[in-house]
Amino acid sequence: MVKKKIRVMIVDDSILFRNWLTQNISADPRFEVAGYAINALDAKAKLPILKPDIMTLDIEMPGMSGLDFLKEVLPSHPVPVILVSSLNVRVFDALAAGAIDFVRKPDMQQHNSKESFISVLRTKLSVGANARVRLPGTSGISQTASAPFGYGHLAGSAATGSIPNPPQNVASANLFANSTAMRKPSASQSVSPSVQRFGNLPIHSAQYDMIAIGASTGGTEAILEVVRQFPAKMPGIVITQHMPPGFTAMYAERLNRLCNMQVKEASHGDKIQPGLILLAPGGLQMRVVRLGTGYSVSCTEEAKVSGHKPSVDVLFDSVATTVKSRAIGVILTGMGADGAAGMLRMRKAGAFTIGQDRESCVVYGMPMEAYKIGAVCQQASLSNIPQVVMAQLAKG
């Protein structure tokens, strides 16, 4: 039986780049270029006709921008969209509007840059064609988008040995049920006294020193949804999100504007401390290391691990070795298996580990792999993960 090719639609106003992209995508037998659009308005007209499985979209185009296209069109046509753009802060607005991932445009004068770009884009197109689309302005997943990979519920047995406390669904968790109220209110919003008290509540845990989070495809918005619900005084948080150099600084700034905690792109030697989130810089590997009676981060130029730099496995391995049982680990949406082995080491070292469930993932890859090998203590929907974390901290 011949496997059906993935139908790709290309949207870019540059005829040279559009033709080059068409040629290189078509060269892979997994794909068929269903058509192209010269701008967002053209894409708006052609999308219902071409009905692609996935789309590449530039952000900055004459007339309607890629961002405006996503806001206007995606709710009625929830096709997975991979942003193909230059270094641009609007990438994160586009991801918030429903795009599932992004790839930075290559330097067309450098052969290595072009080869790397095509390799990454093909991988993201292959996985992304089955991704779930998050509808703009909601925390839900589009019901008309494809379910990723067709995976059913997994047994969750440990392939590497018997580990107590099998994964369990915590969708019914009711601790801090009104968790979205922890978000910073706008000037026009009214906040109940109980929510105000919770938002200012100092969180001190005798049991946990830090929280480590890893994510990939769909992770920029998933991470935001989790950390923006935490009050300002939390144990320190370290995060690895698959992201190239340049974008991590902009992403940290975005998180810092929207969260109660302080957020910064990590620098080598930064101390991990309560109320602070450190984001692994793109192009470097970040580890947690001991610093006297506390901890700091090491950010170094190294080879890729599990296919990534920064790698979630690198971060989680260091937490397992250094922090051991005094850490909470969270693995969120993403393709591949990066972070699964590291999370298993964290769990074996006594850490409490949480995996995002299949239904709320854009791509149920990394959390699935962690679940399959028994690395996850509890599974939870994205909206419930903050509650699970807070409940665990409260136990300490």
Side-chain angles (χ1 to χ4, degrees):
M1 181 177 177
V2 179
K3 188 175 181 180
K4 182 182 176 183
K5 289 189 176 185
I6 296 170
R7 290 169 51 81
V8 182
M9 180 176 176
I10 297 170
V11 185
D12 198 288
D13 62 300
S14 167
I15 186 171
L16 293 177
F17 186 75
R18 201 168 58 237
N19 290 342
W20 178 81
L21 203 56
T22 299
Q23 179 182 355
N24 280 275
I25 292 175
S26 299
D28 189 313
R30 294 174 295 176
F31 307 111
E32 170 192 351
V33 176
Y36 68 85
I38 61 174
N39 54 42
L41 287 172
D42 190 27
K44 181 180 176 182
K46 290 180 176 177
L47 178 60
I49 300 170
L50 295 175
K51 297 180 180 178
D53 299 311
I54 193 165
M55 173 191 295
T56 72
L57 178 69
D58 194 8
I59 296 178
E60 299 297 343
M61 291 181 288
M64 176 186 282
S65 70
L67 175 59
D68 290 336
F69 170 85
L70 289 169
K71 291 178 177 178
E72 184 173 333
V73 177
L74 209 60
S76 57
H77 296 87
V79 60
V81 173
I82 303 289
L83 304 170
V84 177
S85 177
S86 57
L87 183 64
N88 192 318
V89 70
R90 299 187 83 190
V91 162
F92 300 107
D93 294 327
L95 289 167
I100 64 167
D101 209 341
F102 68 94
V103 186
R104 186 174 182 175
K105 279 189 173 181
D107 182 341
M108 298 301 287
Q109 305 303 315
Q110 295 185 7
H111 178 74
N112 289 344
S113 176
K114 293 190 291 184
E115 288 294 309
S116 175
F117 166 83
I118 285 297
S119 176
V120 171
L121 179 60
R122 285 171 175 170
T123 300
K124 290 181 183 290
L125 288 172
S126 178
V127 176
N130 293 303
R132 298 185 175 208
V133 179
R134 296 183 64 82
L135 294 176
T138 75
S139 59
I141 299 288
S142 167
Q143 297 304 306
T144 58
S146 301
F149 315 113
Y151 291 130
H153 292 288
L154 299 165
S157 60
T160 55
S162 176
I163 301 177
N165 301 323
Q168 53 186 292
N169 190 295
V170 292
S172 61
N174 57 15
L175 181 70
F176 306 135
N178 195 15
S179 59
T180 54
M182 286 184 278
R183 303 175 183 178
K184 285 182 180 178
S186 67
S188 61
Q189 288 177 309
S190 60
V191 182
S192 69
S194 61
V195 171
Q196 288 179 330
R197 285 197 301 272
F198 181 76
N200 295 322
L201 179 66
I203 302 298
H204 299 291
S205 176
Q207 186 176 352
Y208 297 105
D209 293 331
M210 75 180 65
I211 300 161
I213 301 174
S216 185
T217 308
T220 54
E221 288 305 298
I223 288 169
L224 173 59
E225 186 164 336
V226 171
V227 299
R228 75 183 303 176
Q229 297 188 51
F230 293 147
K233 295 184 179 180
M234 286 278 288
I237 298 176
V238 287
I239 298 175
T240 290
Q241 159 72 39
H242 295 161
M243 199 175 290
F247 285 92
T248 42
M250 292 190 297
Y251 182 52
E253 291 171 4
R254 177 182 177 86
L255 290 178
N256 191 55
R257 291 194 304 269
L258 299 172
C259 296
N260 297 300
M261 298 179 71
Q262 297 299 307
V263 186
K264 72 181 293 286
E265 181 187 50
S267 297
H268 184 75
D270 278 348
K271 184 179 179 181
I272 299 169
Q273 50 192 326
L276 177 65
I277 298 173
L278 295 175
L279 179 70
L284 300 179
Q285 298 290 13
M286 185 174 80
R287 291 179 171 84
V288 172
V289 297
R290 175 67 70 173
L291 179 66
T293 58
Y295 307 93
S296 67
V297 293
S298 167
C299 301
T300 54
E301 175 64 57
E302 299 176 35
K304 291 181 179 180
V305 174
S306 303
H308 299 282
K309 185 170 63 171
S311 162
V312 181
D313 270 330
V314 168
L315 176 64
F316 284 1
D317 279 345
S318 70
V319 173
T321 301
T322 307
V323 192
K324 298 182 173 64
S325 64
R326 298 190 62 81
I328 295 174
V330 182
I331 192 163
L332 300 174
T333 176
M335 65 181 182
D338 185 32
M343 177 163 274
L344 181 60
R345 294 186 186 99
M346 284 184 64
R347 188 173 186 194
K348 286 183 173 181
F352 182 78
T353 57
I354 305 165
Q356 186 177 348
D357 69 4
R358 179 180 64 87
E359 290 77 12
S360 65
C361 279
V362 171
V363 176
Y364 187 53
M366 288 161 49
M368 180 194 70
E369 294 300 330
Y371 186 99
K372 283 169 62 177
I373 63 173
V376 176
C377 295
Q378 286 189 337
Q379 278 203 119
S381 67
L382 182 61
S383 61
N384 279 328
I385 285 175
Q387 302 170 28
V388 178
V389 172
M390 299 298 287
Q392 198 64 27
L393 292 175
K395 290 180 181 178

